[in-house]
Amino acid sequence: MNRKKYQVIYDQLKADIRQGIYCQGQLLPSEMELCLQFETSRETLRKSLQLLQNDAYIQKIRGKGSIVIYDPSLNFELASLTSFQEINAGLSQPYQTEVAVLETIKAKDYPDVKTALQLRDFDTILRVVRLRKKGPRVNIVDIDFFNPKLVPGITEEVAQTSIYRYIEKDLNLVISHSAKTITFQPANQTLQDYFQQLEPAYVALVEATVFLGDGQPFQLNQSHHRPSSFKFTNFSRRQS
Amino acid sequence: MNRKKYQVIYDQLKADIRQGIYCQGQLLPSEMELCLQFETSRETLRKSLQLLQNDAYIQKIRGKGSIVIYDPSLNFELASLTSFQEINAGLSQPYQTEVAVLETIKAKDYPDVKTALQLRDFDTILRVVRLRKKGPRVNIVDIDFFNPKLVPGITEEVAQTSIYRYIEKDLNLVISHSAKTITFQPANQTLQDYFQQLEPAYVALVEATVFLGDGQPFQLNQSHHRPSSFKFTNFSRRQS
DNA sequence: GAGTGGTCTAGACCACTAA
DNA sequence: TAGTGGTCTAGACCACTCG
């Protein structure tokens, strides 16, 4: 068997919930029943339920069962580490990407980037600016800094399609995790020129340092959003 | 034994990492070694490591070990479901809270709130406005809507101290999870009056619907932040 | 090949809920 | 009291990394 059993069960239950076979407020069958149904042990099944709980599909209640809390009106994809390309593919009206800048710069001229990517003065950085447009209207300006020693060979063509796909499929590297901050910043003249019109002259800035599987930071992403079309969604649980 | 074994191990390792006994980039002892050290089975120990990984303390790498990725300069508390009172208690310079409004309103006059709290036209809602100040300066305006059938008896005194404490300790209810969105909005006249000065006339709005353990929504929280002092931090992992 | 983490099992006992 | 989920165990086998 190729795929992991708990993953198969997770996918199946998730699909059932999304299709409304199990509805919001309803209880799933008990763990015992699900074990029989999927022909598995209890710990394996519980692993699947744990994942469903982490992803806001169910809420487990001791002594009662697992209640479905999935709400189709919510959309949590921005809270996970997903490339623009991957989100865009799911949109009904996708964005066009325009690569505005692709240049190599010196680490010592960008001290903040140098720190974030843990570089030294004499290292180089690949700087990429991409405009995400709907027709003529620019809604997002992505400014990215890559460590070319870790992820070499990013060309304009790669930047045009999907850099994450290139890193994972072609370079065969593991993209692991990311630390993100959201702030509200005045837009400098360059940004105002990209956006054409900005009211007020502020942007929502999502800044993320992204790490490879071995813990090394390879990318600093600064995603500038037109404030009127910015929305970040998140799910959180109360600690007990 | 009262506390859960995996929780004890998790707490211990977390403390060790925070105190620098294990440093960023370093490997933890292997699972075998840790099992011996904590006198436990491997699955239990792995549960603790799983928690550490979820909370951005370590990154597990198959065939190698568990690498410490904890970065003390990041602060993830806003990404979890934590009451203002609880965050405030950890600040060196705490906020003062002023209860500006505490009133009962009709659900049918607030259709958005009615929907979020799953109420009917003739239900009532408790509306609370609280100002979070540092000296004379208001930095956050919290507007909350509670379902009084689920969480009755919220008084001005409760609102002044901690509503979550009251709900958990006095009402003995379980606060479970929350769906949150972050947007940037123009500030209406009332908000501008509260904030005194706002440059630009925008606020960062963190809107959260909060649910009890049985899946019922009891609170809609609209937290309006002065944009210049707003920062949201988040951690995410790439799906495999 | 030795050592690491990843998956899966069968079974035990405990804590909580509801009738 | 019966049924639910929560914790913990000991052991098996697999997949991966590295010298």
Side-chain angles (χ1 to χ4, degrees):
Chain A
M1 187 176 40
N2 204 343
R3 277 167 81 221
K4 290 157 271 181
K5 208 165 183 177
Y6 72 84
Q7 186 75 42
V8 172
I9 298 171
Y10 164 80
D11 289 339
Q12 180 62 54
L13 289 174
K14 185 163 99 172
D16 287 351
I17 291 171
R18 295 184 83 102
Q19 283 167 35
I21 296 176
Y22 302 115
C23 297
Q24 200 178 6
Q26 205 181 333
L27 289 176
L28 289 186
S30 73
E31 296 185 347
M32 266 287 280
E33 283 179 78
L34 290 171
C35 282
L36 294 172
Q37 181 180 326
F38 288 107
E39 293 178 312
T40 187
S41 70
R42 190 158 159 242
E43 283 293 351
T44 297
L45 179 94
R46 283 174 55 74
K47 208 165 182 174
S48 309
L49 294 185
Q50 185 63 51
L51 291 176
L52 288 170
Q53 172 154 302
N54 288 346
D55 292 354
Y57 284 96
I58 64 170
Q59 171 73 24
K60 308 184 86 184
I61 306 176
R62 165 148 41 179
K64 285 184 73 174
S66 297
I67 188 171
V68 176
I69 61 170
Y70 170 72
D71 182 345
S73 73
L74 298 173
N75 180 347
F76 295 115
E77 52 195 352
L78 276 176
S80 71
L81 181 47
T82 309
S83 77
F84 184 85
Q85 175 58 34
E86 289 157 352
I87 292 175
N88 199 34
L91 295 179
S92 55
Q93 197 192 349
Y95 280 83
Q96 297 97 47
T97 293
E98 178 190 328
V99 180
V101 176
L102 191 145
E103 60 178 3
T104 298
I105 57 174
K106 292 175 184 162
K108 72 172 193 306
D109 298 332
Y110 289 75
D112 291 348
V113 182
K114 193 187 82 173
T115 305
L117 296 183
Q118 297 173 18
L119 298 174
R120 283 157 301 180
D121 273 343
F122 50 82
D123 287 320
T124 61
I125 300 170
L126 181 71
R127 177 172 178 273
V128 182
V129 178
R130 286 175 292 178
L131 312 180
R132 315 295 194 172
K133 306 160 94 166
K134 282 213 165 123
R137 182 185 171 88
V138 174
N139 275 340
I140 304 172
V141 176
D142 268 331
I143 303 181
D144 284 286
F145 302 91
F146 293 95
N147 180 345
K149 283 190 182 153
L150 295 178
V151 288
I154 294 176
T155 62
E156 185 162 335
E157 194 201 335
V158 170
Q160 177 72 46
T161 52
S162 175
I163 292 180
Y164 275 22
R165 186 189 163 79
Y166 168 74
I167 291 172
E168 291 182 322
K169 293 277 156 56
D170 297 343
L171 296 183
N172 207 26
L173 293 171
V174 176
I175 297 172
S176 162
H177 61 279
S178 151
K180 226 177 252 186
T181 64
I182 300 174
T183 54
F184 197 58
Q185 304 277 344
N188 61 28
Q189 192 56 53
T190 312
L191 279 173
Q192 290 188 47
D193 290 346
Y194 282 139
F195 279 111
Q196 305 277 0
Q197 199 161 23
L198 214 49
E199 183 53 42
Y202 272 65
V203 291
L205 171 61
V206 182
E207 191 164 37
T209 308
V210 191
F211 296 81
L212 293 175
D214 61 3
Q216 295 189 85
F218 73 97
Q219 175 190 19
L220 175 65
N221 169 251
Q222 297 173 334
S223 203
H224 305 79
H225 297 246
R226 189 184 289 280
S228 59
S229 61
F230 176 79
K231 183 175 177 179
F232 179 87
T233 310
N234 191 35
F235 177 80
S236 56
R237 261 173 212 290
R238 178 104 173 135
Q239 315 284 48
S240 53
Chain B
M1 189 174 40
N2 204 342
R3 275 166 82 220
K4 290 157 270 180
K5 208 164 181 176
Y6 73 83
Q7 186 74 41
V8 172
I9 298 170
Y10 165 78
D11 289 338
Q12 179 63 53
L13 289 173
K14 186 165 96 173
D16 288 352
I17 292 171
R18 294 184 84 102
Q19 283 168 34
I21 296 175
Y22 302 114
C23 296
Q24 201 178 8
Q26 204 181 332
L27 289 175
L28 289 186
S30 75
E31 295 184 347
M32 264 287 279
E33 283 178 77
L34 290 171
C35 282
L36 294 172
Q37 182 179 324
F38 288 107
E39 293 179 310
T40 188
S41 70
R42 189 157 162 244
E43 283 293 352
T44 297
L45 180 94
R46 283 174 55 75
K47 207 164 181 175
S48 309
L49 294 184
Q50 185 62 51
L51 290 177
L52 288 170
Q53 172 154 302
N54 288 346
D55 292 353
Y57 284 96
I58 63 169
Q59 172 73 23
K60 309 184 86 186
I61 307 176
R62 163 143 49 176
K64 286 185 74 174
S66 297
I67 190 171
V68 177
I69 62 170
Y70 171 71
D71 181 344
S73 73
L74 298 173
N75 180 349
F76 294 115
E77 51 195 351
L78 274 175
S80 72
L81 180 47
T82 309
S83 78
F84 184 85
Q85 175 58 33
E86 290 156 352
I87 291 175
N88 199 33
L91 296 179
S92 56
Q93 199 192 348
Y95 280 83
Q96 296 95 47
T97 293
E98 178 189 327
V99 180
V101 175
L102 191 145
E103 60 177 2
T104 299
I105 58 173
K106 291 176 183 161
K108 74 172 191 306
D109 298 333
Y110 289 75
D112 291 350
V113 182
K114 192 187 83 173
T115 305
L117 296 183
Q118 297 172 19
L119 298 174
R120 283 159 300 178
D121 274 343
F122 50 82
D123 287 321
T124 61
I125 300 170
L126 181 71
R127 178 172 177 271
V128 182
V129 179
R130 285 174 293 178
L131 312 180
R132 316 295 195 172
K133 306 161 93 167
K134 281 212 165 123
R137 182 186 172 89
V138 173
N139 274 341
I140 305 172
V141 176
D142 268 332
I143 303 181
D144 284 286
F145 302 91
F146 293 95
N147 180 346
K149 283 191 182 152
L150 296 177
V151 287
I154 294 176
T155 62
E156 187 162 333
E157 195 201 332
V158 169
Q160 176 71 47
T161 53
S162 175
I163 292 179
Y164 275 22
R165 187 189 162 76
Y166 168 74
I167 291 172
E168 291 182 321
K169 294 277 156 56
D170 297 342
L171 296 182
N172 207 26
L173 294 171
V174 176
I175 297 172
S176 162
H177 61 278
S178 150
K180 227 178 252 187
T181 65
I182 297 174
T183 54
F184 293 94
Q185 305 276 348
N188 61 27
Q189 193 55 53
T190 311
L191 280 172
Q192 289 189 48
D193 291 345
Y194 281 137
F195 279 113
Q196 305 276 359
Q197 199 161 22
L198 216 49
E199 182 55 42
Y202 268 64
V203 291
L205 171 61
V206 182
E207 192 164 35
T209 308
V210 192
F211 296 82
L212 293 176
D214 60 4
Q216 295 189 83
F218 74 97
Q219 174 191 19
L220 175 65
N221 169 251
Q222 296 173 336
S223 203
H224 305 79
H225 296 245
R226 187 184 289 279
S228 59
S229 62
F230 176 79
K231 182 173 177 180
F232 178 88
T233 311
N234 190 38
F235 177 80
S236 56
R237 263 173 210 292
R238 178 100 172 138
Q239 314 284 49
S240 53

